[in-house]
Amino acid sequence: LGEAPVFRYNDLPRGFEDCTLWVWTDQGRPVALQKVEAKVDGVPRRPGWSFCFTSFSTDTLSAHWSTGRAFTSTEPGVTFTELPKAPEPAEASTQRRLQARRLAAAFSGRIFDVVTDVEEEMRFLPKPVFEYDEPGSKLYCGAIFGLTAHGTNPDAFVCIEIRESRAGTPRWHFAAARMTNGGVSLRYGEQETCRFEPVKAGNGVFP
């Protein structure tokens, strides 16, 4: 677990007034994300805490909290796919960082809110919430970007990462994850790349 949050945000329409995003890594690569949110809601308005957790691992994952809660996935959190027509990764970290931001900016999304029964377009957050390097060479190799519908609260994430292609050469890949019980669809350009169906919180184990 990182010593400090990687991102701070709010979501006033939903009552989240001050929130932080935390990341767990394995050899420098992100494997899990967690939100910790201070919220005020209800009538009368009452303060409280909430959290949201998702796997960013390419393997299955187990997590345990000191409160007794536990999370066990039955499937990998993310699956990486090579980005079509992406440029070859640059040799220098500075150029790689620019490439990642340009590739991520081509993503857009829509979210379906299960509480309000409203579907709306999401807004891409141009500044990555987390960036990381290759453990050995220390070259820039990936970043996580958020998409939001309210405030700066990222309900969906797109990871842009340099991975080995089927041809055995380094190429840019992407993977997506959501951090909401709402339905999310993501597009790369005009093509839909993934869709997450709505779920009801508290309904047991999620894949």
Side-chain angles (χ1 to χ4, degrees):
L1 174 64
E3 295 182 357
V6 297
F7 187 61
R8 192 169 185 171
Y9 63 94
N10 63 34
D11 186 346
L12 298 182
R14 296 174 179 165
F16 298 118
E17 297 195 341
D18 190 12
C19 315
T20 51
L21 179 70
W22 300 75
V23 61
W24 279 262
T25 62
D26 179 24
Q27 299 182 28
R29 192 197 169 281
V31 292
L33 302 178
Q34 177 170 279
K35 296 176 177 180
V36 179
E37 302 170 319
K39 63 182 299 185
V40 179
D41 60 7
V43 180
R45 289 167 58 81
R46 293 185 296 271
W49 292 100
S50 67
F51 77 95
C52 191
F53 179 87
T54 194
S55 168
F56 233 86
S57 174
T58 53
D59 296 309
T60 55
L61 185 73
S62 295
H64 303 272
W65 290 265
S66 59
T67 57
R69 289 180 178 267
F71 170 95
T72 301
S73 64
T74 59
E75 299 175 6
V78 294
T79 301
F80 279 90
T81 304
E82 187 174 337
L83 276 166
K85 300 180 180 179
E88 291 187 10
E91 293 186 3
S93 290
T94 303
Q95 283 73 36
R96 287 185 173 192
R97 183 175 289 106
L98 291 174
Q99 285 180 323
R101 296 187 182 209
R102 289 169 181 162
L103 291 169
F107 282 87
S108 58
R110 295 187 65 82
I111 185 170
F112 174 76
D113 193 312
V114 296
V115 176
T116 61
D117 203 31
V118 171
E119 183 178 332
E120 55 189 318
E121 191 74 11
M122 304 181 80
R123 179 170 58 88
F124 174 74
L125 299 174
K127 184 178 179 180
V129 299
F130 184 69
E131 296 177 291
Y132 50 101
D133 302 329
E134 295 175 355
S137 66
K138 300 300 181 182
L139 277 172
Y140 184 98
C141 72
I144 298 176
F145 297 83
L147 293 98
T148 179
H150 302 282
T152 49
N153 180 5
D155 286 315
F157 296 95
V158 172
C159 183
I160 307 294
E161 183 177 296
I162 298 173
R163 301 175 71 89
E164 188 175 291
S165 68
R166 292 182 179 179
T169 57
R171 302 293 297 178
W172 286 106
H173 291 67
F174 82 94
R178 65 157 160 197
M179 218 167 192
T180 174
N181 62 338
V184 172
S185 64
L186 294 178
R187 302 183 304 274
Y188 181 64
E190 298 300 320
Q191 183 179 359
E192 184 177 81
T193 58
C194 59
R195 176 177 291 270
F196 302 99
E197 298 300 327
V199 295
K200 292 184 179 180
N203 275 13
V205 176
F206 300 143

